Amino acid sequence: RLGAGSVPVAVGSVGTPVPPQPHEYALEGYKEVDKARLGSAPELMLYVLNTSPPATLTVVLISSLRDFADAIDAHGELVRRAVCSVCVMGGLEQSENARFGWAADTSVNNSFDMVGAQRVYDWCFGEGVPMSVVSRFAVPLLPMQLARSFAERTN
């Protein structure tokens, strides 16, 4: 347990359907989650944006960027007021055709919705919002057994 029982969780948009993999749901307590209590990502984002002091939110995007792109489009001024930085597990590549010289690459989180991903990256560049992008190339190729050993739980 992470001790984060009071952290609100919401269901994001569908994006590009991808069959779920077992590792995505092999979490203690997952089966006990009451899905009826989960709100929608747009509702939760709007609530957080409205209740946060100016320039205090760091948005961490570890899957599809679609919902944040939608928040930018629907509530641009509010997003700009509340967000101080964005961290994306995704990727960029230089492109002469991209608005700011950088295009969303083929990383899986971008590929869930390439238009949404590009919208987020362009917004950060255009608004001057600090952005950290962690690429799949930031992780060395490790033997799976070693990776599993990092993830083993201890009591």
Side-chain angles (χ1 to χ4, degrees), residues 41-153:
E43 291 169 350
L44 179 57
M45 280 193 206
L46 186 57
Y47 171 78
V48 170
L49 290 167
N50 274 314
T51 58
S52 297
T56 58
L57 289 181
T58 295
V59 177
V60 179
L61 303 167
I62 58 171
S63 190
S64 172
L65 284 65
R66 170 78 281 153
D67 292 316
F68 189 57
D70 288 345
I72 291 167
D73 290 341
H75 311 286
E77 288 182 31
L78 182 59
V79 173
R80 185 62 191 106
R81 180 195 67 79
V83 173
C84 65
S85 64
V86 174
C87 182
V88 179
M89 187 167 64
L92 290 164
E93 56 192 10
Q94 289 186 310
S95 170
E96 292 179 10
N97 299 323
R99 182 173 170 202
F100 294 99
W102 293 93
D105 73 2
T106 59
S107 63
V108 69
N109 291 344
N110 288 344
S111 67
F112 290 136
D113 187 315
M114 291 297 283
V115 172
Q118 192 64 51
R119 176 70 179 111
V120 170
Y121 295 130
D122 284 349
W123 180 81
C124 289
F125 287 127
E127 294 293 325
V129 174
M131 175 177 53
S132 300
V133 179
V134 180
S135 165
R136 63 186 176 262
F137 302 116
V139 179
L141 292 175
L142 296 174
M144 199 57 197
Q145 184 58 39
L146 180 60
R148 282 190 188 101
S149 73
F150 292 148
E152 286 179 3
R153 296 180 188 209

Side-chain angles (χ1 to χ4, degrees), residues 1-53:
R1 306 262 176 199
L2 298 174
S6 63
V7 174
V9 176
V11 177
S13 60
V14 175
T16 303
V18 176
Q21 301 298 311
H23 72 274
E24 297 174 300
Y25 302 99
L27 303 169
E28 184 180 331
Y30 176 80
K31 291 180 181 179
E32 290 79 38
V33 172
D34 180 1
K35 294 180 181 84
R37 292 183 55 209
L38 298 177
S40 73
E43 291 169 350
L44 179 57
M45 280 193 206
L46 186 57
Y47 171 78
V48 170
L49 290 167
N50 274 314
T51 58
S52 297

